[in-house]
Amino acid sequence: MEFESTAELFFYGLLVFLGVWGNILVLVTIFATTVESHGLAASDIILTNLAAVNLLISIFRNILLVITESRVKILLSLSWCRVFMFLWMWLKSVSVWVTFCLSCFHFLKIKQHVHLSTKMKEIMYVLAILVGVWFVNFLYSIPAFIYSQTASGNETKILMVVSTTMEPFLGCVWKFPTHESGIIFTAFTLVLHELIPIIFMVCTNLSTVYYLSKHIRTIADEHLHSVQVERMATKLIMALVTLFVLCTGTHLLAVSYYNHNGGPATAFLLTLAKYCATIFIGFSPLLIAAGHSKLRHKVCKVLHIKIF
């Protein structure tokens, strides 16, 4: 077991359960709100995509990880290895870029303080971008079909791209023509889907905070309620980007350290990366929903929590 104790495994399993429950709660809440209002806002479409993809990651990867870490041996055939390796890479990449899309959308709305266009056009723009995100990442994940293999049992060290397990997860490994080509593909993937989104997210959210602060100074004496709402939005945005940077940055550091060094801190970093990834998947949609007044009130109503 890569978790050193049963308590660690239990805690990780609890995080996975909360992630599944949290994303389902967000999806159900958005659906209920849409039915009541007879319409779906553009931001809710992005949030729905984020919650859905994170739920799929929990189902197709994190739950299976809990099962295998519980000493239940699961080995996939070559065909299923290729399917699951493709799904893991595709869903993780989509999760990262949908998170950035949500951040970018709020930045544009706050900067302009007006609708980007009519509501229908705004929804169409968002849908087109999201379809593009899913499709482009689908194409990028195709190498997982080509370079996925079942483990032979003789591997001294496996190459990591998405996984943070030192043993072949479900008996599946990456098999590139040469070790150098594998390292190049891994480095390119980590830069494209982790380092660049981190930089973009930091820049976008800092810009959002700047424009919020500027707007607050402009209307502070006239619209107290608006000031309070936007201050809350500022705190939530900073919390989201901090969570994203910490979780994605930990995965980037752990995988890079393992592939290029593999020193004594490897086990600790990989375990920490697993925890961080699960925390982000489980709590980012809830964090974003907390800043959405309609969703927040609906979640509290579903959970029978009274808001004063």
Side-chain angles (χ1 to χ4, degrees), residues 19-296:
V20 173
W21 179 84
N23 284 288
I24 290 176
L25 178 62
V26 170
L27 289 172
V28 170
T29 303
I30 293 175
F31 176 76
T33 304
T34 302
V35 171
E36 287 184 2
S37 61
H38 304 289
L40 187 63
S43 59
D44 291 343
I45 294 175
I46 305 175
L47 182 54
T48 300
N49 273 261
L50 181 59
V53 70
N54 286 342
L55 177 61
L56 290 173
I57 292 174
S58 295
I59 293 172
F60 286 106
R61 178 169 179 78
N62 293 343
I63 291 178
L64 293 174
L65 182 58
V66 173
I67 294 173
T68 56
E69 291 290 350
S70 302
R71 297 182 181 178
V72 177
K73 192 171 183 179
I74 302 176
L75 296 176
L76 299 179
S77 65
L78 176 60
S79 297
W80 282 111
C81 270
R82 289 175 174 172
V83 170
F84 273 82
M85 293 280 270
F86 169 80
L87 281 176
W88 296 333
M89 189 169 185
W90 186 29
L91 294 174
K92 186 178 187 302
S93 301
V94 169
S95 176
V96 169
W97 288 107
V98 170
T99 303
F100 172 70
C101 286
L102 185 60
S103 174
C104 190
F105 177 82
H106 282 297
F107 165 71
L108 292 174
K109 297 286 284 186
I110 290 171
K111 181 181 177 181
Q112 296 181 3
H113 291 293
V114 295
H115 293 290
L116 298 177
S117 56
T118 63
K119 184 177 180 180
M120 184 55 64
K121 285 186 177 180
E122 185 176 280
I123 290 175
M124 294 304 296
Y125 289 150
V126 168
L127 287 175
I129 291 172
L130 289 174
V131 169
V133 167
W134 283 88
F135 181 70
V136 170
N137 283 288
F138 177 91
L139 295 179
Y140 184 82
S141 302
I142 289 177
F145 277 117
I146 303 172
Y147 299 114
S148 297
Q149 296 290 335
T150 54
S152 63
N154 299 321
E155 292 85 3
T156 57
K157 183 177 180 180
I158 62 173
L159 185 68
M160 287 188 185
V161 180
V162 177
S163 177
T164 51
T165 57
M166 297 179 68
E167 298 294 331
F169 183 46
L170 303 184
C172 303
V173 295
W174 289 92
K175 190 68 175 180
F176 290 92
T178 63
H179 179 71
E180 290 73 18
S181 62
I183 291 295
I184 292 173
F185 178 80
T186 302
F188 182 77
T189 299
L190 293 176
V191 169
L192 180 63
H193 293 299
E194 299 197 12
L195 182 59
I196 291 178
I198 285 176
I199 295 173
F200 282 176
M201 281 282 284
V202 170
C203 293
T204 302
N205 284 276
L206 287 178
S207 299
T208 301
V209 171
Y210 167 75
Y211 280 106
L212 274 173
S213 301
K214 185 178 179 181
H215 182 57
I216 286 172
R217 288 194 298 269
T218 303
I219 66 172
D221 296 330
E222 300 176 6
H223 303 89
L224 182 59
H225 177 69
S226 178
V227 170
Q228 293 174 342
V229 170
E230 296 200 6
R231 280 178 179 169
M232 182 179 180
T234 303
K235 293 178 181 179
L236 288 169
I237 289 169
M238 291 302 295
L240 176 64
V241 71
T242 301
L243 182 64
F244 178 86
V245 171
L246 288 177
C247 295
T248 307
T250 302
H251 182 270
L252 175 63
L253 175 63
V255 173
S256 299
Y257 184 81
Y258 172 85
N259 285 333
H260 297 284
N261 189 326
T266 300
F268 170 76
L269 287 174
L270 292 176
T271 301
L272 182 63
K274 280 196 282 282
Y275 281 123
C276 289
T278 307
I279 290 171
F280 178 76
I281 287 173
F283 292 98
S284 57
L286 287 175
L287 182 63
I288 298 167
H292 193 303
S293 58
K294 290 183 179 179
L295 293 183
R296 183 173 66 252

